[in-house]
Amino acid sequence: MNWHQQVNAVLRAHQLEKYVVNPVVPLKYLSEEDRAAGTINPEFTNWDRQDALIMSWLLSTLSDSILSRVVTCCHSFQVWNAICSHFHGLTRARTTQLRLELRTIKKGNKSCSEYLQRIQQLCDTLTATGDAISNCEQTDAILGGLPPKYEALISTITTFLTRDADVSVLDIETMILAHETRLEQHKQTAL
């Protein structure tokens, strides 16, 4: 569970979303007469006190690098919005980086098992960031990064895919691993 999820859970458990996520700030003065007399709305006073406690708690959970991003915030919802905005930007950048790696990954010198495992890690990480990869995209990444010696297998898999939409990523991985095993056997037989 990441920081955001932990804080969200605490906020929900204590019914504090109205301060942080969807703030409902009572009016400080109920009328112009109250403003002139300096009579502050008791609801605002209670809200302000609770907000200060929440803000103090939020600030105590932050690292120094994040604290510098919220130094000008006056209320807990401002801290929350600044943090969410920062992490959303980081997540977007990471998602872009992972998608680029997925589009350009090549088997290279890796075993098929290592290659397929890396693709699965990329897909799982993207899913965890909220940017799920479809089976079609994963299949395209897998087939697109295989070297020319896999062309016959790629052609066979592509034929299966055009005929039967029920071919799973696991089926494709199994075919690739079996093909690699056959290639290794042929290599050893040739020696």
Side-chain angles (χ1 to χ4, degrees):
M1 185 180 279
N2 65 32
W3 178 91
H4 187 267
Q5 292 168 323
Q6 291 171 344
V7 171
N8 239 345
V10 171
L11 292 173
R12 277 194 332 274
H14 295 284
Q15 299 177 344
L16 299 173
E17 297 101 328
K18 64 185 174 188
Y19 294 94
V20 179
V21 181
N22 297 310
V24 178
V25 183
L27 294 173
K28 186 171 184 176
Y29 303 103
L30 294 175
S31 66
E32 284 302 316
E33 293 80 23
D34 286 347
R35 180 185 305 276
T39 305
I40 297 175
N41 176 2
E43 281 186 44
F44 177 82
T45 302
N46 290 336
W47 177 88
D48 193 45
R49 184 179 301 116
Q50 186 67 40
D51 181 67
L53 288 169
I54 296 167
M55 185 165 169
S56 174
W57 169 68
L58 280 174
L59 294 175
S60 73
T61 67
L62 301 177
S63 66
D64 290 340
S65 63
I66 301 299
L67 277 172
S68 66
R69 297 181 181 279
V70 298
V71 73
T72 61
C73 297
C74 298
H75 297 288
S76 60
F77 68 87
Q78 293 169 326
V79 171
W80 184 255
N81 289 340
I83 293 166
C84 288
S85 178
H86 171 69
F87 283 114
H88 182 68
L90 291 178
T91 300
R92 238 185 359 256
R94 180 74 174 134
T95 297
T96 300
Q97 176 189 14
L98 293 169
R99 278 194 169 270
L100 177 62
E101 184 179 347
L102 187 63
R103 280 193 308 270
T104 59
I105 193 168
K106 300 292 181 210
K107 180 184 172 296
N109 295 332
K110 296 183 281 287
S111 70
C112 280
S113 180
E114 293 168 328
Y115 169 68
L116 295 170
Q117 183 178 18
R118 180 61 186 150
I119 290 174
Q120 188 62 54
Q121 288 171 341
L122 291 168
C123 292
D124 290 346
T125 303
L126 283 161
T127 298
T129 66
D131 189 17
I133 297 295
S134 70
N135 286 344
C136 184
E137 288 175 293
Q138 187 171 355
T139 299
D140 288 346
I142 290 169
L143 298 179
L146 291 173
K149 66 182 176 182
Y150 287 81
E151 273 309 312
L153 177 65
I154 292 169
S155 179
T156 301
I157 291 171
T158 303
T159 301
F160 278 134
L161 290 172
T162 57
R163 291 185 187 159
D164 183 6
D166 289 338
V167 178
S168 71
V169 171
L170 183 59
D171 294 334
I172 293 168
E173 290 176 343
T174 301
M175 287 186 255
I176 291 170
L177 292 170
H179 187 76
E180 180 184 49
T181 301
R182 282 192 297 279
L183 288 174
E184 288 299 317
Q185 289 171 344
H186 288 304
K187 187 192 292 182
Q188 290 180 4
T189 303
L191 296 176

